[in-house]
Amino acid sequence: METKRIPMKSILRILIICLGFATFAFSANPSIPQEGGKQYAEVISGNDSLMVNPMNKKLYGGPEVEAIKTWGIGSPNSNGLGEIFTLLQGHYFSLIFGAILMLVPLAFLAHFIVVGQKKFSHGKKIKVFSSYNIFVHWAAAIPFVVLTLSGLVMIFGSNFGGGAFVRFARDIHGIATILFVIFGFLMFLMWVKPALFKLYDIQWLMIMGGYLSKEKKPIPAGKFNAGQKMWFWVCTVGGFVMAISGAFMFFQFADIETLRTMALIHNVLGFLVIALLITHIYMAVFAIEGALSSIIDGHMGEEEIAILHSYYYKEINA
């Protein structure tokens, strides 16, 4: 298989575009100090003014903030998604994220202890990913992981003491979003065809990809198995939706009800992303011996392909 080389000019163009977007993001960032190092809220005067959002003055002010204090189930002061948003954002979202961060790794630890790691002969290797595939994958994966970590810092901001560190995480979150959108889109175009679901993916799901068994028998899967395909769509399409909802919250160019909706969507997708990212890392690093090397050097052992990607093995040997 011929290896594609990435022209240096193309890489430089991408870096220049990213730098331009990053500069724009910082220039529009309300957390950047104003007037001699003071934050926006410190510059303006008056209690109500302190509550007015610098990006959208129609969002909320003193009266609205006071009304929130009396909200309760069925309260006459609540309206739209305000009540449910406050309840979820203030009490349950962080608990759900915390549960995912604890329970998913524990489940995989149990899997590793009970079922163990799948091992295959790595004698003969087959080229499955080009240099371009590898570059785009990591160019999208690195900012994606940064997004996840910085997002968790914001979710558990109070545990980190708030302040500068959490604001820094938010700034990094914005820059990483730009990088992910660029390279995530390239990754989408690159792998959308092999990531389309096939009928045999149902069989894969029914046997959980063979990961609950120690047997070595051919598993119905193409170049990407059903689990990898699910991750692809959540990571790309779900990631793009999160980028859009995140942009609404970051720049706050909508009414309060729209922003609440965007925040709810962002968090719910976040549950999926965190759970599947942990799954993806476990599968690549622990579940299959040497699996990570395929997206580093582009090669995969023939036996591994024949067993875990049987339809793809038949395709390349047809």
Side-chain angles (χ1 to χ4, degrees):
M1 185 181 292
E2 186 178 349
T3 301
K4 296 182 181 179
R5 291 186 178 181
I6 307 163
M8 184 58 67
K9 288 184 179 179
S10 298
I11 296 175
L12 288 174
R13 286 195 194 105
I14 292 172
L15 290 175
I16 291 170
I17 291 170
C18 294
L19 183 60
F21 273 114
T23 303
F24 171 76
F26 269 114
S27 66
N29 192 336
S31 72
I32 291 179
Q34 311 286 331
E35 292 189 18
K38 293 183 179 180
Q39 296 296 320
Y40 185 93
E42 296 177 88
V43 175
I44 54 181
S45 59
N47 186 53
D48 284 355
S49 297
L50 290 174
M51 297 178 184
V52 175
N53 190 286
M55 301 301 290
N56 186 340
K57 295 183 179 181
K58 295 181 180 180
L59 287 182
Y60 47 79
E64 287 79 2
V65 172
E66 289 300 317
I68 290 173
K69 297 177 183 178
T70 61
W71 277 0
I73 302 300
S75 168
N77 291 320
S78 65
N79 61 82
L81 292 171
E83 197 169 46
I84 186 67
F85 171 77
T86 304
L87 187 66
L88 292 174
Q89 186 74 19
H91 300 282
Y92 294 108
F93 280 155
S94 59
L95 288 176
I96 295 171
F97 277 111
I100 291 171
L101 289 171
M102 289 178 61
L103 298 178
V104 175
L106 282 175
F108 287 129
L109 176 61
H111 175 271
F112 191 82
I113 293 171
V114 176
V115 179
Q117 187 179 55
K118 287 188 177 293
K119 297 182 180 182
F120 300 97
S121 169
H122 294 284
K124 182 181 178 181
K125 293 200 171 186
I126 298 172
K127 184 81 170 177
V128 292
F129 297 122
S130 68
S131 297
Y132 177 74
N133 295 153
I134 296 168
F135 170 75
V136 172
H137 170 270
W138 288 111
I142 292 171
F144 193 87
V145 172
V146 171
L147 278 169
T148 303
L149 295 176
S150 57
L152 288 172
V153 169
M154 289 187 283
I155 290 165
F156 299 104
S158 60
N159 300 91
F160 290 100
F165 177 63
V166 177
R167 287 198 299 273
F168 173 73
R170 194 193 72 159
D171 296 341
I172 293 298
H173 201 75
I175 295 171
T177 298
I178 295 164
L179 294 172
F180 170 72
V181 167
I182 294 170
F183 292 107
F185 181 68
L186 293 178
M187 186 172 70
F188 177 83
L189 295 177
M190 179 174 73
W191 281 334
V192 63
K193 187 176 179 180
L196 293 173
F197 287 98
K198 306 286 185 179
L199 283 175
Y200 54 71
D201 289 321
I202 298 174
Q203 295 175 274
W204 188 96
L205 290 169
M206 290 176 68
I207 61 172
M208 295 298 289
Y211 288 105
L212 299 181
S213 169
K214 296 181 180 181
E215 289 184 79
K216 280 188 179 181
K217 59 182 181 180
I219 304 297
K223 184 170 186 175
F224 298 121
N225 61 44
Q228 291 170 323
K229 289 177 181 180
M230 285 190 291
W231 171 234
F232 172 84
W233 291 105
V234 169
C235 177
T236 55
V237 176
F240 299 151
V241 172
M242 290 189 78
I244 293 169
S245 59
F248 270 87
M249 292 187 290
F250 189 90
F251 296 107
Q252 300 189 344
F253 41 57
D255 59 86
I256 189 67
E257 195 70 359
T258 300
L259 292 179
R260 288 167 180 157
T261 303
M262 292 298 165
L264 292 172
I265 292 171
H266 203 80
N267 279 279
V268 171
L269 282 173
F271 301 152
L272 267 177
V273 165
I274 296 292
L276 290 179
L277 177 60
I278 295 171
T279 303
H280 187 63
I281 292 172
Y282 173 74
M283 291 297 172
V285 179
F286 301 104
I288 307 167
E289 184 185 46
L292 186 62
S293 64
S294 66
I295 201 63
I296 294 175
D297 61 20
H299 292 83
M300 189 181 292
E302 183 178 24
E303 185 187 20
E304 182 181 342
I305 299 174
I307 298 296
L308 297 183
H309 303 270
S310 62
Y311 280 82
Y312 179 59
Y313 185 69
K314 291 176 184 177
E315 180 186 326
I316 60 178
N317 285 286

